[in-house]
Amino acid sequence: MTITPLRRQYLQIKKQYPDVLVLFRLGDFYETFDDDARLASSVLGITLTSREMGKGQRVPMAGIPHHSLDGYLGKLIRAGHKVAVCDQTSDPAEAKGLVDREVSRVITPGTVVEPQLLDQKANNFLAALVREGGQAALAHLDVSTSEFAVTQLADDRLPNELARLGAAELLYPRGAAPPMAGDGAAPPATALDPRAFDPADARERLLRHFGVASLEAYGCEHLPLAQRAAAAVLAYVGETQKTALGRITLLSTYSVDRYMALDPQTRRNLELTQGGRWGGPEHSLLAVLDETRTAMGGRLLRRWLSQPLLDIAALEQRLDAVAWFVAQPIARGKTAALVARIADLERLINRVQSAIATPKELVALRRSLELVPEMRAVLDTDSVRGEALEPQPNATSSADTRSPSLGDLPSQLKPCAEAASLIARAIADDPPVQLSDGGVIRAGFHEELDRYRAAGGDARGYLADLEKRERERTGIRSLKVGYNRVFGYYIEVSNASAAQAPADYVRKQTLTGGERFITPELKEYETLILNAQERVQELEATLFRQVCAQVAGYAAPVLETARALAQLDVHSALADVAARRHYTRPALADAPEMRIVNGRHPIVERHLDAGAFVPNDVDLSADAGQLVVLTGPNMAGKSTYLRQAGLIVLMAQIGSFVPADAARIGIVDRVFTRVGLQDDLATGQSTFMVEMIETAHILNNATRRSLIILDEIGRGTSTHDGLAIARAVAEHIHNAPRLGAMTLFATHYHELTDLADYLPRVRNFRVAVSEEGGTIAFLHKIIPGGADKSYGVHVAELAGMPRPVIARAQEALQVLERADGGAAGKGTPSAGKAAVPHMQLTLFTPPSAALAALSRLDVASLTPLEAITKLFELQAKARAEGEA
């Protein structure tokens, strides 16, 4: 079958990218063919046509204008497709036959670099995963910033790290099981040829890339799985983004053991980056803290929030910097104003290195670098000593005018004056968006370019005067000089005046209403103009590429400056939040304890009027008040109290001030939360099963240095089962030798308040309620003691239940309370029975004591619910020991 040379060229290229949509440059359009065309037409909403590309062959075709590429790319990537951009690599005007073409880049979800396709304040990670022998390695790269890191970890820690990264694309060996994040979600995954992960080649590939003889300096010399994951990332980038490999100059190896472990449930329950019920980011902790002014700072804050530190020394350095800015309001304001004018240096310099930066981006880079000396001056010790400081609330004495509080950050700000000067001399202050539009290179920068511009300008000036001169010479008042791409410059005369045309006018085109002519002189100046324009475009393109190449040589100091600016941005933003919202610097301790005075929930408080939030204390210690049993009605503030404790700990461990009057926080290795009711229909798990799985995960993984937050354990099943499970869980946390974690345990099972009678580190607290004249008010204050009522019917009334339903519920409640001697409503441990302290047993009661207690059980002294619970516990212990 005969096909055209163009068709043959396309098929050869498409064969190399069978699973990728190929955008094939043809003149001013990117075209798609065959199935790619059908797909593009459907996804992009563009017209599907066809083209003759061989004898009897009409091929489906759909195209987009080349200048609209980025917008259409975004639609394709967001729809989950990979795209290969095939560009013309030779000049069509000089080509004999076919124009040379090749794929310049393959855009996948993990390799996007186009600014409009990226979230400015979030990384876009490409990750690679290797698992073997109970171990896993995870490498990740942000192609837009060149951040490249790898970790090797135990297989059971992998789901949490996958959830933290939130990779846009995850690479794994074809044939292996697709990876799953900790929340059961499958990240966008790409299966690669297993040879990309080949252990025999991985180390050599890394050594060749970095040009070194050992990987010791990168921290992964003795981590073979980490080497394989990192090498797979490089292999994939080499196939998809050829120019990006040269920008990857660093690899950092990190250990997850340096950071607080946060599972997906805890990230969701504490609303770190997304709000709870509606999932909006504006109701998250990130929204509260993110007063950063730069994209770089926004990405860094998000990273800190997802990786709370365990190192007290590193945290104190962060807190010192925040405290310095809190105590320096003038410097803080100047810093905020300056960083707000600084562009995304990380992504800009990467685009310059990739030769895809626009003229306006180069100017933005210059203007940002020109602000660096001003920033250094603001941070200079002497410049802030003269500030008239008012005492700042909650600022410690360490927050003085000593810039050592900022560490080495000021010295890491590199103005890169040579790069900024080059851009200023070479590039116009307000260049066009596209290089092809002309006027990019500043006048005076290049002598030859100036000459061609002058020649073209003189010729255009001559032609501008030509119309006036020719009207005077010929006496034809309607004569005009025009231009189009087909005929070039021409002189147009109406039919009524055509007979007056001079003899040197050469007729070129006849129109309905007139004639078009040319003259030798007109063609001479046209050639001069067009030649000058062509040469100007060539020179501008060449000079712009040269400037970009020279500026790219400053990538290392620009990136160092970007990292320092990001940290300064975060520190000043956290200080701004602390000063405006009256946060305090937490005291950090290397002990399992948490003492918070008048703590507040940062997210809830933000959405209330000033002073409306009711603050509360928290006092936990693994050696004393380890487990708080919190009782009280719904809507009274139990869940808010639980979450605010977790959030304050997390804020302290990212180096932020916290919403409290005072706080002493012992470093926590993990925060566990079991909050809310959720099912998992995709895996067929009921609400109760999900609750039990999450609780089991906590009990199996928590340590003495963990913080456990439990809200309503056991409510997804029958009352008897739920109470039994809740009691057993609390006892296990208290008594298991490897546990003893600080725990906040909210419950509606008021019977659990008797845990404090026989477990020495249990404390009872309740939410205060005011009852006056039949009016009930929830005071949202946490006070010692256990609750004696649930107020469920009152909450139902507040929720808008119909009045007949409320009335009937009151009647039913009274019947139940009378039947149970008042216990149904009050739920107090003493309701309807005498106290039996000798009967209080735990899961760790010795076998003989368990049997003796079973024989002494006085059922008549207990409520039916308590009797069943006690029998269940004692029988289970006896059976487990073979003594039943």
Side-chain angles (χ1 to χ4, degrees), residues 474-508:
T474 63
I476 303 172
R477 306 305 298 171
S478 62
L479 180 148
K480 60 183 179 181
V481 175
Y483 173 85
N484 65 33
R485 290 192 174 187
V486 177
F487 297 109
Y489 286 95
Y490 56 82
I491 297 171
E492 185 173 319
V493 177
S494 66
N495 286 332
S497 304
Q500 297 176 250
D504 59 340
Y505 277 28
V506 179
R507 182 179 282 105
K508 189 68 176 176

Side-chain angles (χ1 to χ4, degrees), residues 338 694 718:
L338 281 172
E694 291 182 2
S718 72

